[in-house]
Amino acid sequence: EVQLVESGGGLVQPGGSLRLSCAASGFTFSSYDMHWVRQATGKGLEWVSAIGTVGDTYYPGSVKGRFTISRENAKNSLYLQMNSLRAGDTAVYYCARVPRWLQLPDYWGQGTLVTVSS
Amino acid sequence: QSVLTQPPSASGTPGQRVTISCSGSSSNIGSNTVNWYQQLPGTAPKLLIYSNIQRPSGVPDRFSGSKSGTSASLAISGLQSEDEADYYCAAWDDSLIVVFGGGTKLTVL
């Protein structure tokens, strides 16, 4: 069974940093691209970043230069380093598995809440 | 403002057929495939339709997808109360970002 478990969320002050983790199991982690997608309370889904099997990374302009996605295949883990956090980054952050042939998420974790507030 | 445009709401009565549209441009829907996701209240999104028209195993055939030009649609036939959820379309854009629709809240009356 595919499982994605996010952790590392919490309350952080504006300008602060936070590192999210996603523990994957039930599939060959190294063979899949992985994405982070966020959702502010009562709002829609917003794509945050993607990493390919060979470590290629992609970001939207809203987080480029502030967020860094990475992976550690030996630990079946995905990470999101978030710096210079703003109130607008407050959201539930989901990690998602992405088959190469599909190019978009097929399985999602349950999410971890990040709150940026003073 | 989402790159892909969906109606904010849709509704229908049990047994009815409902369609949700997703409008994009030549750089996203026009040149890449579309996925649809269902998000039940308080839960993570679930893949409903992939590659424009395909259903993952376990998704009832009441759900169907289509794409024409720069628009895509999700149709739900034989509407059931458990279909009440938020629905999102998604696609890659040629600028190497993933874009989502703003979501459509489906109410079963």
Side-chain angles (χ1 to χ4, degrees), chain A residues 19-57:
Chain A
R19 189 195 196 206
L20 305 183
S21 299
C22 172
S25 61
F27 64 99
T28 304
F29 180 73
S30 59
S31 297
Y32 287 81
D33 296 347
M34 296 295 295
H35 290 201
W36 287 99
V37 178
R38 69 185 179 185
Q39 185 173 35
T41 301
K43 303 296 184 182
L45 301 173
E46 181 186 8
W47 178 72
V48 173
S49 60
I51 187 165
T53 56
V54 295
D56 46 317
T57 58

Side-chain angles (χ1 to χ4, degrees), chain A residues 72-91:
Chain A
E72 193 168 355
N73 290 337
K75 293 188 176 181
N76 291 335
S77 292
L78 176 72
Y79 305 103
L80 184 67
Q81 177 67 44
M82 303 185 295
N83 300 329
S84 303
L85 283 162
R86 309 163 179 166
D89 297 317
T90 294

Side-chain angles (χ1 to χ4, degrees), chain A residues 39 47 94 103-105 108-109, chain B residues 35 37 39 44-45 50 88 92 98:
Chain A
Q39 185 173 35
W47 178 72
Y94 296 102
Q103 300 185 326
L104 289 169
W108 303 60
Chain B
N35 279 15
Y37 299 92
Q39 187 176 32
Y50 66 92
Y88 296 90
W92 272 94
V98 173

